[in-house]
Amino acid sequence: MAQSRSRLAKVRARLDLPTVRRAAGLLEGRHRSIYSGHGQDFDEMALYQFGDDVGDIDWKSSASSGHPVIRRFVRDSNVAMVLALDTGRNMAATAPDGSMKSDIALFAAEVICYLARARGDLVALVAGDEDRIVQIPARGGTEHMEMLLRRSESMLDLEAPPSDLNRVFDRILTWFTRRSLVVLITDEARPRPEHELGLKRLRTRHEVMVIQIGDVLPTAFSDRVIDDVDTHLEIPEYLRSRKDLSAEAADAALRRRHDVAAMLRRQGVEAVTANSEDELIDRMFDLLRRQRRVRH
């Protein structure tokens, strides 16, 4: 269990107690928005929307406001979160800070599992690519979280098959019938247009958040060998040092990020991009904060 302890210590070293409490509170807000229902704890009054149970309408409040109003309650149950991990070889490439994208992706998974364990929540894993798909049922506890993280780490490699998010989406849709919080960890180039229909289907059944790991520009390091993990791309050093090519590469990456962001907005999915472990924590907390009061 030495590896397990060091993994947990890594997260604890980056999250002081006030930070953990703040993050757990934001995560609680997410859970309450997803699992509103017929529990014992009153949550809020809300305007009736199509699909709500007419039995929840508060007729006295509706008469006062002039609009149908329902009473929301919080369900009395632990929440199952699904950690959806893109294990394509793109995730083992280089991040903007020069580290491996897989290291940042794993740190994101560690933070999610750490917070879930602190709250007593259950976490499942669906990890996959073009040739592999792994699913681990939702459970709680330290040993389960450590096993889940070790399995994730073993699948992130430059020799891995290409990415295929649709396989991950399909497995979640067929495996999880109960509405859950799905946290997708991928890179900034995904989800792509070919994933939009799958994401839309996933979004109708579950709450979805996306953590994207940034990609390094091919012109970023003039003194290193740069290659593409999917298509061979050899750019001579003298070309990588040209400012016009660097600007063109940055513009192309910006357009790609805008296209991905526009697609996520169409599907009502919030996302953040992290370019290093150092900025990941603040970005994740910002994501939870933005999502806290979303109701579906």
Side-chain angles (χ1 to χ4, degrees):
M1 292 295 291
Q3 183 180 5
S4 297
R5 287 194 294 270
S6 65
R7 190 181 295 277
L8 293 175
K10 174 185 176 183
V11 180
R12 283 198 300 269
R14 304 288 287 274
L15 300 177
D16 57 25
L17 186 57
T19 299
V20 172
R21 287 175 175 169
R22 178 164 58 96
L26 292 171
L27 196 59
E28 168 116 17
R30 291 301 313 131
H31 291 353
R32 289 168 66 89
S33 70
I34 297 170
Y35 290 95
S36 57
H38 295 102
Q40 295 182 355
D41 296 329
F42 174 73
D43 189 5
E44 65 170 5
M45 304 295 288
L47 290 177
Y48 174 84
Q49 297 181 1
F50 179 76
D52 287 334
D53 189 342
V54 295
D56 291 339
I57 294 177
D58 186 302
W59 297 107
K60 183 177 180 180
S61 298
S62 298
S64 300
S65 66
H67 301 282
V69 175
I70 64 173
R71 296 170 61 86
R72 292 191 188 276
F73 296 85
V74 180
R75 287 185 184 168
D76 301 320
S77 61
N78 284 342
V79 175
M81 288 195 293
V82 182
L83 192 59
L85 180 63
D86 179 359
T87 58
R89 55 177 172 251
N90 51 290
M91 296 301 292
T94 306
D97 69 341
S99 66
M100 303 300 292
K101 288 161 61 176
S102 56
D103 291 339
I104 304 175
L106 281 170
F107 185 54
E110 288 169 353
V111 173
I112 291 295
C113 289
Y114 184 83
L115 294 176
R117 188 197 63 165
R119 281 182 34 80
D121 290 335
L122 312 179
V123 180
L125 173 70
V126 176
D129 46 56
E130 191 176 82
D131 296 338
R132 306 171 298 172
I133 194 76
V134 168
Q135 61 188 52
I136 298 177
R139 296 192 180 94
T142 300
E143 291 187 6
H144 171 74
M145 303 296 180
E146 294 292 349
M147 179 270 294
L148 182 153
L149 292 167
R150 287 195 300 271
R151 189 63 182 273
S152 299
E153 183 178 24
S154 70
M155 297 179 71
L156 293 168
D157 190 275
L158 278 173
E159 301 302 317
S163 173
D164 187 350
L165 287 184
N166 280 329
R167 293 193 74 212
V168 175
F169 294 163
D170 288 344
R171 181 57 60 94
I172 295 172
L173 284 167
T174 56
W175 194 33
F176 283 89
T177 56
R178 176 185 174 186
R179 189 168 179 83
S180 304
L181 173 59
V182 177
V183 182
L184 171 64
I185 302 177
T186 183
D187 64 12
E188 69 173 37
R190 294 168 177 81
R192 291 177 172 170
E194 63 266 27
H195 304 133
E196 184 163 12
L197 180 58
L199 182 64
K200 182 178 181 179
R201 293 174 57 220
L202 188 67
R203 182 66 178 77
T204 60
R205 294 265 299 275
H206 302 285
E207 186 69 15
V208 182
M209 298 190 300
V210 180
I211 299 173
Q212 298 165 300
I213 312 302
D215 284 304
V216 68
L217 292 176
T219 56
F221 304 112
S222 60
D223 59 341
R224 299 188 189 181
V225 176
I226 299 293
D227 203 355
D228 188 86
V229 296
D230 290 318
T231 305
H232 180 60
L233 175 67
E234 186 174 346
I235 304 177
E237 182 179 338
Y238 75 91
L239 286 179
R240 281 185 266 137
S241 62
R242 284 177 47 176
K243 292 183 178 180
D244 58 334
L245 289 181
S246 179
E248 186 175 345
D251 184 61
L254 183 60
R255 290 197 304 270
R256 181 185 64 191
R257 287 194 293 268
H258 284 171
D259 290 343
V260 173
M263 187 259 281
L264 292 173
R265 283 195 300 271
R266 284 195 299 272
Q267 300 307 324
V269 175
E270 292 284 353
V272 290
T273 301
N275 295 320
S276 67
E277 286 190 16
D278 288 339
E279 71 177 25
L280 175 68
I281 296 172
D282 287 340
R283 296 290 173 87
M284 287 180 62
F285 291 175
D286 178 62
L287 175 62
L288 291 169
R289 188 180 300 108
R290 283 189 275 128
Q291 283 270 34
R292 184 174 187 176
R293 296 190 179 278
V294 176
R295 291 290 190 265
H296 302 279

